[in-house]
Amino acid sequence: MQTRLAGFRWRRPRTRASAFRRRTARVTIFSLRLSQRGGVVSKARTRSGNVPSTATSFIGRRQQRKEIRDRLAGGRLVSLIGPGGVGKTRLALQVADEMNHLFDNGVYFVDLAPVSDGGDVPAAVIHALGIVDQSNRDATAKLIEYLRDREILLILDNCEHVLRGSVALVSEILRHAPSTRILVTTRTSLMVTEEFLYPVPPLTVPDDAAPVTIESLSQFESIRLLQERAEAASPSFVLNEHNAAAAARLCIQLEGIPLAIELAVARMRILSIDQILERLTDRFGLLTVGSRSAAPRQQTLRSLVDWSFALCTEPERHLWARLSVFAGSFDLTSAEGVCCDGYGEDSGHPTTTTLDLVGSLVNQSILGVEGQESSMRFRMLETIREYGAEILALTGDSERFRSRHRQYFLDVVKDLERSWCGPDQAAAAKWMRVERENLRAALETAAPGDSYQLELIAGLRYRWYADGYIAEGRRWVDEALDAPDGDRAPTPARAKALWVAARVCLLQGDHEVAARRLDECEALATRLALADAAAHCLGLRGLAAQLRGDLAEAESQFEVALRELADVGETAEWLMASFEYAVVLSLGGRSADALAVSTSALSVCRQRDERWARSYLKWSQGLDHWLQGDFTAAHATAADALRDHRVFDPSLGTALMTELLAWIAGSTGQFERAAQLIGASRSLWRRTGTELAAFGPNLTGYHSVCRGQLEQVMAPRALSTALQTGAKRSPTGIIAYALAEQVADSIPEDEPPALTSRQQEIAALISKGLTSPQIGAALVISVRTVESHIENIMTRLGFVSRSQIASWYIGQSR
């Protein structure tokens, strides 16, 4: 017995548990290999699979490719989701090429576009894998048997139109083939538990507000794509200083969509970039010449969007068309307020809420999502919005929903106007900033000078002169009140717009037009018995006199105006008139009376938790302290005013407060600081669309005295450098410096500004074109935290845009 057993080696019988452990160990080893940095393996492998080669080079998206590779190493299902033409398939092919050597059994690409029935998805995958099985078994069973013990990366391209069949197959593979990774491209989420959604953004585009140079453009992916494809299509094409600005505008208008850029390049054989830009008003008619080797839906821009539209249900199509009336982004509340009017119930579809339909359009990449602290906002690419606008026009509903859009925003503006003098001022100012594109659209689609447009312009007055958009407000009031074909009927709406226009004109130093506006307003107030308009005119006559330097006239007008404004319940305007009256009294040497007026108004501000007028009233007290020679109290009060005001967009109030702090600094021998603050205020005045001269000879005189003092005590070069340093700071940086916060320290010219390690990380991701939500996802921090870091970076570097951060980081990295 011992002889017979000597060569025998006992083996434990196989069980399901032991087989599971072996598979688990194999998957663990596979995952570790995939996660090795850079994808380096101990043994080179021959690339295998069926991934098609590409005829053109791949542009950009380095960070996105790394993130996708990392996600595939840590998970088994990654879905590249985004609208048509954004480059999902091309990105997937590039990732597949970079990861091919990591999979023992290869990388396989399955194009599902030709598949019309979800039940045929398994057969399409079997065909792509080259599986030979003549049995009559179910296709899914054949596939699972083949994949069960193989290390494969499976790319399922274009799943959206066979979503149910794709979901069923993916679920089976995840359950029974543990070594298979799946990369999906789709316009619609699969909604599978293990799915990691990776939104594919458009290529990075230049900042519309930033200056254009050949050097700065090279950092943007869309420009690099345009240049490379244009040079291939037309060997004579050269991107130079003559066409750089046009190239930037083209990429901006095409929103960085790779397919749209490729289609535009095809037109460059017969059209210049400027000519293409002129014809982009009909982008669907222009961008119609694509590659003959591309899928039919990718040969024209229209067919690409047609494909998405065909996949939507009728209610989804209705909402898509209606949402086209929004400009820029919008939130769910405004979508419900404007668009909620039945979504195809007559056609037999069940009633669906706007919330459900918005969710469906997000899942199908028709709508993009933007995080805004406490709420989510949605945005359409311009191509998708224009398509929806065409559909809405075909239904005959364009004017109906544009009218609803206008009325919705007018109603909200009126609510904000009524509650302005209270604790929600900062939120109201922010709302007007966030909704600026929709507010402009509402103004633009209204009839020139009609009651609606006049009411909206007047209701937005706090955007014009409280939030720093004086030039914009002046343009709108002039267009509305002086429209050649406008309605000039004597109405309360016109009277209100007239006194708002008068204030805007005065803040720009245009006394002649302001007087004309007030004359007409007073005539209307008398004719229509409008006591509130008459009271406003009195206050504005006082302001006009003050800004001319006629303090006696200003005082007599304000004395009456304060009583009249109080009688008609115009508290917000009464507070501002109190501020202006207090300034007149201080300039006239009546310090005690000035402090009495401002103190009385400040008590009302405290009762109402009002901050905007409060900041101006504190400024008036700071000015009075300075005029009296109490520089300590002046600085403390002026700084307190600026702290109150910083919650509003840097505006003329910020400029006024910075000026006063500069004068105080000059009076106390802080000449370097005074010079930087003078330079900073100069940039703020330009930003608001006005200048200090508009505020009368007294303040201009104080500025001149301060500037003259600095010229006497500082060397010309030192003064010039200080002025430029102050002017180069961002508005946020100016406020921080004025308040003597940490960022106030000057930075040696020969030493690059130091950022924290986290700020360096964020600057690096900005340079790669990532949005704030994408940066947050990459660093596992909130979008709000990302925005806070970006603000601190701009403060530290003295920048005002993300593109400046990107350019700086690229320059530092060279």
Side-chain angles (χ1 to χ4, degrees), residues 102-124:
L102 296 175
F103 293 85
D104 280 343
N105 303 110
V107 177
Y108 288 86
F109 179 85
V110 185
D111 183 7
L112 296 178
V115 178
S116 58
D117 189 325
D120 293 333
V121 171

Side-chain angles (χ1 to χ4, degrees), residues 299-362:
Q299 292 182 5
T300 72
L301 194 62
R302 178 176 295 281
S303 60
L304 184 77
V305 188
D306 282 341
W307 173 270
S308 292
F309 193 72
L311 295 174
C312 292
T313 64
E314 188 170 345
E316 291 165 355
R317 295 173 188 173
H318 279 294
L319 183 58
W320 177 346
R322 294 173 186 182
L323 290 174
S324 69
V325 301
F326 287 97
S329 64
F330 55 90
D331 60 18
L332 181 63
T333 302
S334 57
E336 291 172 328
V338 173
C339 302
C340 186
D341 188 23
Y343 301 104
E345 291 90 337
D346 295 341
S347 62
H349 287 277
T351 302
T352 313
T353 67
T354 304
L355 171 62
D356 294 332
L357 292 174
V358 166
S360 296
L361 293 178
V362 168

Side-chain angles (χ1 to χ4, degrees), residues 509-653:
D510 193 342
H511 290 257
E512 182 180 348
V513 175
R516 192 169 74 243
R517 300 296 190 204
L518 287 175
D519 288 344
E520 184 181 352
C521 187
E522 286 174 340
L524 286 180
T526 301
R527 179 176 177 178
L528 303 176
L530 302 173
D532 55 345
H536 286 297
C537 287
L538 284 169
L540 290 168
R541 293 289 189 190
L543 177 61
Q546 173 197 335
L547 300 183
R548 291 195 309 269
D550 188 345
L551 300 183
E553 172 66 15
E555 185 176 335
S556 64
Q557 293 283 357
F558 278 127
E559 285 179 350
V560 180
L562 288 178
R563 291 195 301 270
E564 297 292 329
L565 289 167
D567 288 344
V568 295
E570 289 282 354
T571 305
E573 298 299 327
W574 177 86
L575 287 173
M576 287 308 293
S578 296
F579 150 68
E580 291 152 359
Y581 186 30
V583 171
V584 168
L585 294 171
S586 290
L587 296 176
R590 295 170 57 186
S591 176
D593 292 338
L595 291 174
V597 170
S598 60
T599 300
S600 174
L602 281 170
S603 67
V604 174
C605 292
R606 283 192 294 272
Q607 291 168 12
R608 291 175 169 264
D609 196 14
E610 196 274 358
R611 298 182 68 175
W612 181 62
R614 183 172 69 184
S615 66
Y616 280 95
L617 288 160
K618 287 181 180 178
W619 180 89
S620 74
Q621 292 187 342
L623 175 68
D624 191 82
H625 290 315
W626 177 67
L627 290 171
Q628 298 305 311
D630 189 348
F631 302 138
T632 301
H635 181 272
T637 309
D640 198 22
L642 186 53
R643 289 188 193 93
D644 269 348
H645 201 79
R646 73 188 304 175
V647 298
F648 301 98
D649 198 45
S651 63
L652 64 88

Side-chain angles (χ1 to χ4, degrees), residues 364-383:
Q364 296 180 73
S365 304
I366 305 303
L367 295 177
V369 181
E370 300 175 348
Q372 289 281 342
E373 295 185 4
S374 60
S375 65
M376 304 299 290
R377 294 186 66 81
F378 309 95
R379 182 184 292 271
M380 283 182 172
L381 291 173
E382 186 62 21
T383 298

